[in-house]
Amino acid sequence: MSTASTRLPEGRYGRSSDARADRKLKVVGAVLGAALLALVGYFGYHYVGQNKISAEVIGFKAAEDSVKVHLEVRKDAGASGYCTLRSQAENGAEVGRADFRFDGDATRLDKVVSLRTTSQGTTAELLGCHAD
């Protein structure tokens, strides 16, 4: 005895509901992917393109109660802002933190700043720069 097939004949009644669901999922996935890409691009532009002041630690020299830090600051002409530095002891404890202000018309500054510490610092770390 043979059993009768319960499937509909191929192509006779249009696409099945699974094909419609697959197409909807593809469209929704493409829209969400495009939205995510636009969001990442927006935040990337604001992080890189809108940052008006940035700096780099060139070198530092630690003393018993301070750390002298050589900073190279790049900024837009006329922009003003500040950079935050910190120093840590050998055991990792923070021994000093300060904000240093930069303004004026120069677009590139080389400055040596002195960061006071509570004990011997072994590092000089740039935490970030912020425009006003």
Side-chain angles (χ1 to χ4, degrees):
M1 225 185 210
S2 70
T3 59
S5 172
T6 58
R7 291 183 43 197
L8 298 174
E10 289 291 325
R12 188 166 184 179
Y13 298 103
R15 292 191 303 193
S16 69
S17 62
D18 288 341
R20 284 188 200 106
D22 287 346
R23 185 169 189 275
K24 286 181 184 178
L25 283 175
K26 287 179 185 177
V27 169
V28 168
V31 168
L32 289 177
L36 179 65
L37 186 62
L39 188 65
V40 168
Y42 174 78
F43 284 120
Y45 172 75
H46 272 282
Y47 181 74
V48 175
Q50 296 296 316
N51 197 1
K52 296 181 181 183
I53 183 169
S54 65
E56 180 180 1
V57 174
I58 303 300
F60 67 94
K61 184 171 183 166
E64 193 170 314
D65 62 347
S66 68
V67 176
K68 297 218 182 289
V69 183
H70 181 197
L71 279 178
E72 180 182 299
V73 180
R74 292 168 301 281
K75 63 183 192 68
D76 292 346
S80 63
Y82 63 93
C83 293
T84 304
L85 293 171
R86 83 168 174 179
S87 181
Q88 293 177 309
E90 193 170 324
N91 64 0
E94 185 176 286
V95 294
R97 179 186 292 241
D99 293 332
F100 296 96
R101 192 145 201 55
F102 300 100
D103 49 14
D105 290 331
T107 59
R108 185 179 170 280
L109 301 166
D110 270 333
K111 280 215 168 176
V112 176
V113 295
S114 183
L115 174 63
R116 291 190 341 212
T117 59
T118 56
S119 64
Q120 176 81 35
T122 58
T123 65
E125 182 180 3
L126 177 66
L127 296 179
C129 294
H130 304 281
D132 291 335

